[in-house]
């Protein structure tokens, strides 16, 4: 403790108030003094050594180690003599105070406990809400608002097992399958869990972003394939339409040629019939076009009038409701509040005068505005639109009836003209024409051509409709491609994020592996140094911490199995391991070991005891010795290093102590 | 090795050549240290917030 003692963490004092054997207030000063960094508390079995260690741990953690807390059969937390004097239903309480110095700042950790007698049995409790007071030169003593967090920062609960030991169980650390315990200890003390947390979080984030990227990846190619298919379909239609149009041209030429032949060979009467029939046919074509237009109009009107008809009742009800509101003055029919607000903003009256110069007009407009209910603009719109819609629906019905009538008349007119054409055709075919001209045959050919032409023209119309549809679909697909491209860009961005986390994680995995290897090597070197320093044997041991945290001990003659070491050797290894962990991690905490030499046989106890001062020379170490452990050899070995030494004695269930 | 492994972690990150990545890693490791000291909220929001300036500025490669 000589080097920079103020920066270390150590107990300055432990104070028990009615804690088990420690009846009343018992105060144990423990501060180190220069190179004197070891405290020895000595007592026979049953004098309160383990109670002392348990008291310190209970003060820190709020529970007594090794005790299940089964109330009823538990040893009272308060002094048993005090407990015996309790009446049934009464309780008694006490406290544990730990005075700690951490990096030059003083703390007092206080935890209270109680024992209650119920039906003659003991019910123990330890207050989970401890208090932590801190002393600073500027502020003096202050109670911290978040004591548990502050204590966890100074002495994290997960590492306390490496600073507070029961010597009789110290060799448990190196029982079968000890490798996992060693790995966990290295892990807990080496801060590598910070890296592990980052690595795990980066992996989670990477996987999550990757899933999101996958779900939002664009289907550009699929949309492009569909668009290309439609484009091919469009080209097929265009080619087909061109072929039909060419055929129409050919048929029209053939028709003209036949009609020319018929005209050239015919007399005036026949020509007159041909002309009359041609005029009728032109009129029929025009009527067919009119019929198609009227049919389209009927379709449109059916949709318009039909939808309004379906909603007619609702429209009527709403209109009546609006009428009622209007009658109550709640729905201004003509002047809207918004309009009046606009006038006030523009400073212009309804009459056109300037409201700035005519305050009386301004007042009138404001009054009118204030009388006008502030109702939603949409409601006002609806009050106008609903009756209009109803009227529009009725008009659409009237138009529909008129259009159907017109269509029926047009059809009748066309049918009449077609009958007349048939009559004229009969007449034409009955006339005599020069021998070389077969008028009947020509006219049949003409009729056939006209039929074919009509079919071709229909087909041309259908192809034009198909072309419009396909071009609309192509336009929609192009828009979809744009959207998919946007999604793909988003997905690319997400994949950049995925790649970023991936690279960050890879770097940290490499750092962690290198760091763990280095920590392992340093622990290995440190264990070896401590083991060879503490051992009573003259030979040197070569100690290796393997990748699986298996510890290998090579002596000059043979390799030793950790599991087959003697109890003394195992304890030696445990002490060396603890010292190595502390040294390598740089973590700083006071060490407390109950009965450190209990498992060491008499022959070797003196040898280890004489070397204990070299153990953790920079930290406060408190040993709780039995009388037999603290023999002359150990006592003289520690003499120049002891800071505080106390002798415990127990009489009549009460421990007393004095300087040794 | 440094006496303090936390410092060693920082040193090793500072040796990473890519300064953008180095800066990001230092920030998230610092953040995790604060989390362990129970000072910070959920990590995902914080990581994404810390990654954003690096992703906006570079190509993330």
């Amino acid at each position: 403790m000589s080097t920079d003692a103020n920066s270390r963490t150590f107990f300055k004092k432990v104070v028990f108030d009615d804690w088990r054997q420690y009846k009343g207030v018992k105060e144990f000063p423990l501060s180190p003094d220069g190179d004197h960094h070891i405290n020895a508390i000595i007592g026979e079995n049953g004098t309160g050594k383990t109670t002392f260690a348990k008291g310190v741990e209970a003060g820190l953690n709020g529970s007594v180690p090794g005790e299940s807390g089964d109330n009823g059969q538990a040893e009272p937390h308060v002094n048993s003599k005090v407990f015996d004097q309790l009446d049934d239903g009464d309780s008694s309480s006490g406290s544990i105070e730990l005075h700690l110095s951490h990096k030059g700042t003083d703390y007092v950790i206080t935890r209270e406990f109680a024992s209650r007698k119920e039906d003659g049995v003991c019910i123990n409790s330890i207050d989970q809400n401890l208090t932590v007071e801190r002393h600073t030169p500027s502020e003096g003593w202050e109670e911290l608002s978040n004591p548990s967090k502050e204590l966890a920062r100074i002495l994290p609960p997960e590492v306390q097992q490496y600073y507070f030991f029961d010597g009789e169980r110290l060799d448990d650390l190196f029982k079968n399958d000890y490798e996992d315990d060693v790995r966990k200890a290295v892990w807990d003390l080496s801060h590598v869990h910070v890296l592990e947390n980052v690595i795990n979080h980066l992996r989670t984030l990477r996987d999550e972003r990757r899933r999101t990227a996958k779900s939002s990846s664009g289907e550009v190619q699929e949309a492009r394939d569909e668009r290309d298919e439609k484009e091919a379909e469009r080209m097929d239609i265009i080619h087909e339409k061109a072929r039909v149009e060419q055929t129409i041209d050919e048929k029209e030429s053939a028709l003209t040629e036949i009609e020319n032949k018929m005209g050239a060979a015919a007399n005036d009467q026949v020509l007159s019939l041909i002309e009359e029939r041609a005029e009728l046919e032109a009129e029929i074509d025009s009527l067919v076009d009119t019929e198609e237009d009227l049919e389209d109009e009927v379709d449109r009107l059916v949709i318009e009038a039909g939808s309004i008809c379906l909603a007619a009742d609702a429209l009527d009800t709403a209109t009546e409701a609006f009428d009622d509101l209007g009658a109550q003055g709640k729905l201004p029919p003509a002047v809207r509040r918004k309009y009046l607000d606009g006038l006030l903003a523009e400073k212009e009256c309804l009459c056109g005068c300037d409201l700035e110069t005519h305050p009386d007009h301004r007042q009138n407009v404001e009054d009118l505005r204030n009388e006008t209910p502030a109702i939603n603009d949409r409601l006002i719109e609806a009050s106008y639109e609903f009756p209009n819609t109803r009227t529009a629906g009725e008009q659409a019905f009237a138009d529909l009836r008129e259009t159907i009538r017109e269509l029926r008349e047009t059809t009748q007119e066309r049918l009449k003209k077609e009958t007349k054409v048939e009559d004229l055709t009969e007449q034409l075919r009955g006339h005599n024409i020069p021998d070389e001209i077969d008028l009947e045959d020509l006219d049949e050919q003409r009729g056939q051509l006209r039929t074919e032409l009509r079919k071709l023209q229909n087909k041309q119309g259908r192809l034009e409709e198909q072309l419009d549809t396909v071009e609309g679909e192509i336009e929609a697909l192009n828009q979809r491609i744009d959207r998919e491209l946007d999604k793909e860009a988003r997905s690319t961005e997400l994949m950049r994020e995925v790649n970023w986390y991936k690279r960050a994680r890879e770097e940290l995995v490499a750092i962690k592996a290198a760091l763990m290897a280095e920590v392992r090597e340093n622990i290995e070197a440190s264990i070896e140094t401590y083991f060879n320093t503490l051992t009573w044997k003259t030979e040197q041991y070569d100690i290796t911490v393997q990748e699986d945290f298996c510890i290998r001990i090579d002596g000059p003659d043979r390799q030793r199995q950790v599991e087959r070491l003697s109890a003394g050797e195992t304890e030696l290894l445990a002490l060396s391991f603890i010292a190595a962990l502390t040294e390598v991690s740089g973590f700083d905490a006071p060490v407390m070991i109950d009965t450190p030499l209990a498992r060491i046989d008499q022959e070797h106890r003196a040898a280890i005891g004489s070397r204990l001062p070299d153990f953790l020379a920079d930290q406060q170490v408190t040993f709780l010795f039995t009388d037999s452990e603290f023999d002359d050899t150990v006592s003289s070995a520690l003499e120049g290093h002891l800071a505080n030494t106390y002798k415990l004695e127990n009489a009549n269930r009460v421990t007393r102590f004095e300087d040794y | 090795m440094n006496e303090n492994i936390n410092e060693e972690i920082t040193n090793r990150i500072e040796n990473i050549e890519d300064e953008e990545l180095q800066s990001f890693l230092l920030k998230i490791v610092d953040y995790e240290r604060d989390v362990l000291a129970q000072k910070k909220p959920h990590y995902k929001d914080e990581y994404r917030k810390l990654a954003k300036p690096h992703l906006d500025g570079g190509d993330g490669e």
Side-chain angles (χ1 to χ4, degrees):
Chain A
M1 294 289 290
S2 57
T3 50
D4 202 10
N6 277 341
S7 68
R8 311 296 298 190
T9 304
F10 56 88
F11 288 116
K12 295 182 84 170
K13 192 161 64 177
V14 172
V15 182
F16 296 128
D17 181 4
D18 267 346
W19 170 248
R20 295 195 166 169
Q21 291 104 308
Y22 298 95
K23 187 168 184 291
V25 177
K26 295 284 185 293
E27 192 174 308
F28 289 84
L30 295 173
S31 288
D33 179 13
D35 284 340
H36 299 247
H37 65 106
I38 295 176
N39 294 311
I41 298 173
I42 303 133
E44 290 177 14
N45 286 335
T47 54
K49 296 186 304 300
T50 302
T51 302
F52 183 98
K54 284 182 173 179
V56 171
E57 286 193 67
L60 291 171
N61 303 325
S63 61
V64 183
E67 294 184 12
S68 64
D70 287 341
N71 286 313
Q73 297 179 352
E75 180 187 353
H77 285 345
V78 299
N79 182 262
S80 59
K81 288 180 82 172
V82 173
F83 182 78
D84 286 349
Q85 287 164 5
L86 293 175
D87 291 331
D88 210 44
D90 283 350
S91 64
S92 180
S93 62
S95 66
I96 298 163
E97 270 182 26
L98 306 172
H99 294 243
L100 194 72
S101 177
H102 175 66
K103 295 184 176 176
T105 302
D106 285 348
Y107 295 84
V108 178
I109 298 148
T110 308
R111 197 182 290 272
E112 299 193 337
F113 57 84
S115 297
R116 189 161 49 92
K117 191 182 275 184
E118 261 187 31
D119 298 330
V121 296
C122 170
I123 308 292
N124 283 324
S125 63
I126 298 184
D127 193 349
Q128 295 305 301
N129 298 316
L130 75 167
T131 61
V132 175
E133 291 168 278
R134 181 175 61 193
H135 184 270
T136 51
S138 57
E139 302 291 328
W141 283 105
E142 56 176 338
E143 187 173 332
L144 303 180
S145 59
N146 209 338
S148 296
K149 277 188 190 171
E150 191 65 21
L151 180 58
R153 187 182 63 77
I154 301 169
L155 288 175
E158 71 271 16
V159 298
Q160 279 176 23
Q161 58 180 306
Y162 307 115
Y163 297 97
F164 299 106
F165 308 99
D166 178 353
E168 292 188 31
R169 304 178 70 180
L170 200 56
D171 57 341
D172 284 355
L173 188 60
F174 288 106
K175 288 275 169 62
N176 289 339
D177 301 325
Y178 66 89
E179 293 88 345
D180 285 344
D181 292 334
V182 172
R183 181 188 290 109
K184 185 176 181 312
V186 172
W187 190 262
D188 284 344
L189 288 176
S190 68
H191 304 260
V192 174
H193 50 278
V194 170
L195 283 184
E196 188 61 17
N197 284 354
V198 178
I199 288 166
N200 287 338
H201 291 161
L202 284 168
R203 184 180 55 205
T204 308
L205 211 47
R206 180 202 63 192
D207 293 348
E208 193 182 286
R209 304 311 286 166
R210 186 181 279 154
R211 280 196 297 275
T212 310
K214 207 171 173 184
S215 67
S216 68
S217 65
E219 292 168 342
V220 177
Q221 197 50 48
E222 194 182 312
R224 279 186 176 140
D225 288 347
E226 274 185 52
R227 195 264 318 269
D228 291 347
E229 269 179 37
K230 284 287 166 196
E231 197 63 57
E233 200 178 320
R234 176 174 168 270
M235 292 312 293
D236 287 346
I237 294 168
I238 287 172
H239 291 146
E240 177 67 8
K241 186 167 160 272
R243 276 195 297 276
V244 169
E245 283 168 351
Q246 189 183 349
T247 311
I248 287 172
D249 285 347
E250 288 167 4
K251 297 282 180 194
E252 281 177 345
S253 299
L255 184 64
T256 306
E257 196 178 328
I258 286 171
E259 285 177 344
N260 286 344
K261 269 187 190 172
M262 287 172 70
N267 57 32
D268 288 346
Q269 193 180 2
V270 169
L271 280 174
S272 167
L273 285 173
I274 287 172
E275 278 173 17
E276 191 182 350
R277 187 177 66 174
E279 280 171 16
L280 279 170
E281 284 170 344
E283 286 169 16
I284 288 168
D285 286 345
S286 171
L287 287 169
V288 167
D289 289 344
T290 306
E291 279 179 283
E292 285 174 358
D293 289 346
L294 288 168
E295 280 166 0
D296 288 347
E297 181 65 2
V298 166
D299 290 345
R300 189 187 69 75
L301 287 167
V302 164
I303 291 167
E304 185 182 334
S307 58
I308 295 172
C309 175
L310 284 173
D313 287 348
L315 285 168
D316 289 344
T317 306
T319 303
E320 282 170 23
F322 283 128
D323 289 346
D324 287 347
L325 284 172
Q328 293 166 33
K330 293 180 181 173
L331 194 66
V335 183
R336 297 180 195 179
R337 187 185 176 98
K338 195 174 171 182
Y339 173 64
L340 293 167
D341 281 336
L343 289 177
L344 288 166
E346 295 292 326
K347 299 175 180 128
E348 186 183 324
C349 182
L350 288 162
C351 67
C353 75
D354 186 354
L355 291 176
E356 289 282 288
T357 54
H358 295 79
D360 51 332
H361 284 235
R362 181 180 185 82
Q363 189 59 52
N364 286 340
V365 175
E366 279 179 354
D367 289 348
L368 189 57
R369 193 268 314 266
N370 294 338
E371 286 167 10
T372 307
I375 57 170
N376 189 308
D377 281 355
R378 286 187 171 182
L379 216 55
I380 296 174
E381 292 295 339
S383 71
Y384 297 128
E385 291 303 325
F386 280 22
N388 289 346
T389 304
R390 189 74 172 89
T391 308
E394 285 166 5
Q395 184 59 48
F397 260 118
D399 292 347
L400 179 61
R401 283 194 296 275
E402 177 61 26
T403 309
I404 288 171
R405 187 190 58 72
E406 207 177 322
L407 176 61
R408 196 165 50 237
E409 285 174 3
T410 308
T411 305
Q412 282 169 353
E413 193 181 345
R414 175 176 59 79
L415 291 172
K416 270 188 203 166
K417 289 187 189 292
E418 281 177 353
T419 307
K420 205 165 179 185
V421 166
E422 281 170 18
D423 288 346
L424 289 170
T425 302
E426 283 295 317
Q427 285 179 41
L428 271 170
R429 290 181 185 174
H431 278 275
N432 278 330
I433 304 290
D435 288 346
E436 68 274 17
I437 301 295
D438 186 345
L439 192 59
E440 189 177 351
D441 181 50
L442 280 175
D443 201 51
E444 272 180 18
Q445 284 181 38
R446 179 182 175 278
Q448 200 173 338
L449 277 170
R450 278 185 57 81
T451 306
E452 287 173 7
L453 261 172
R454 176 58 60 90
K455 282 182 184 170
L456 285 167
Q457 282 160 346
N458 285 342
K459 189 173 181 182
Q460 183 190 22
R462 283 198 303 276
L463 286 169
E464 277 168 0
E465 279 176 18
Q466 281 178 24
L467 193 60
D468 283 349
T469 306
V470 168
E471 284 177 345
E473 287 171 350
I474 288 170
E475 180 55 29
L477 282 168
N478 280 332
Q479 287 171 4
R480 187 180 146 201
I481 288 169
D482 289 345
R483 286 196 301 276
E484 297 300 330
L485 280 169
D486 284 347
K487 280 165 77 177
E488 197 164 85
R490 169 79 183 130
S491 173
T492 307
E493 202 172 306
L494 283 165
M495 284 312 293
R496 282 184 59 234
E497 199 178 340
V498 168
N499 188 41
W500 177 257
Y501 297 135
K502 181 168 168 274
R503 287 180 55 219
R505 184 175 177 276
E506 283 168 358
E507 290 285 0
L508 289 187
V509 166
I511 287 175
K512 186 189 132 198
L515 206 57
M516 283 301 279
E518 201 171 329
V519 167
R520 207 176 58 244
E521 282 169 20
N522 280 278
I523 283 178
E524 176 182 288
S526 192
I527 291 178
E528 190 175 287
T529 304
Y530 277 106
F531 192 80
N532 284 319
T533 304
L534 291 174
T535 187
W536 55 88
K537 297 181 180 176
T538 50
E539 61 263 41
Q540 290 289 298
Y541 290 90
D542 183 16
I543 295 181
T544 315
V545 179
Q546 296 173 336
E547 276 192 29
D548 60 356
F549 289 89
C550 174
I551 293 177
R552 189 177 144 152
I553 303 171
D554 288 302
D557 304 323
R558 64 196 169 105
Q559 186 188 333
R560 307 286 309 278
Q561 294 282 331
V562 168
E563 295 90 337
R564 293 188 181 173
L565 293 174
S566 70
E569 287 171 323
T570 306
E571 183 164 332
L572 208 63
L573 182 64
L575 286 170
S576 304
F577 178 62
I578 290 154
L581 281 178
T582 307
E583 188 173 278
V584 173
S585 70
F587 192 78
D588 175 31
V591 175
M592 186 172 289
I593 307 178
D594 187 15
T595 55
L597 304 173
R599 303 291 299 270
I600 313 289
D601 58 51
Q602 195 66 40
E603 183 189 348
H604 299 120
R605 187 176 285 179
I608 294 181
S610 65
R611 288 169 173 82
L612 283 178
D614 299 323
F615 175 67
L616 292 171
D618 281 335
Q619 279 176 282
Q620 181 190 56
V621 184
T622 301
F623 292 117
L624 296 147
F625 288 116
T626 59
D627 278 349
S628 60
E629 284 180 294
F630 196 69
D631 58 17
D632 290 345
T633 312
V634 173
S635 168
S636 59
L638 295 179
E639 196 173 357
H641 305 276
L642 290 170
N644 301 282
T645 312
Y646 302 108
K647 170 76 176 168
L648 304 180
E649 284 181 358
N650 188 296
N652 197 19
R653 292 185 283 166
V654 175
T655 293
R656 291 184 174 77
F657 73 97
E658 58 186 19
D659 289 343
Y660 189 76
Chain B
M1 168 166 292
N2 270 303
E3 184 180 318
N4 188 326
I5 295 177
N6 264 326
E7 282 179 25
E8 183 64 20
I9 291 170
T10 302
N11 289 344
R12 284 171 188 262
I13 293 173
E14 282 172 348
N15 286 336
I16 293 172
E17 283 184 10
D18 183 333
E19 287 182 6
E20 291 283 333
L21 195 59
Q22 183 199 105
S23 163
F24 172 63
L25 287 174
L26 285 173
K27 285 180 219 164
I28 58 175
V29 167
D30 267 358
Y31 165 79
E32 285 297 346
R33 285 176 184 143
D34 283 349
V35 168
L36 285 172
Q38 300 175 320
K39 288 182 192 166
K40 290 279 176 134
H42 194 265
Y43 78 90
K44 282 186 188 173
D45 294 339
E46 189 67 15
Y47 275 36
R48 295 203 66 217
K49 190 181 94 187
L50 294 173
K52 195 170 183 309
H54 301 285
L55 292 165
D56 288 347
D59 59 3
E61 294 301 323

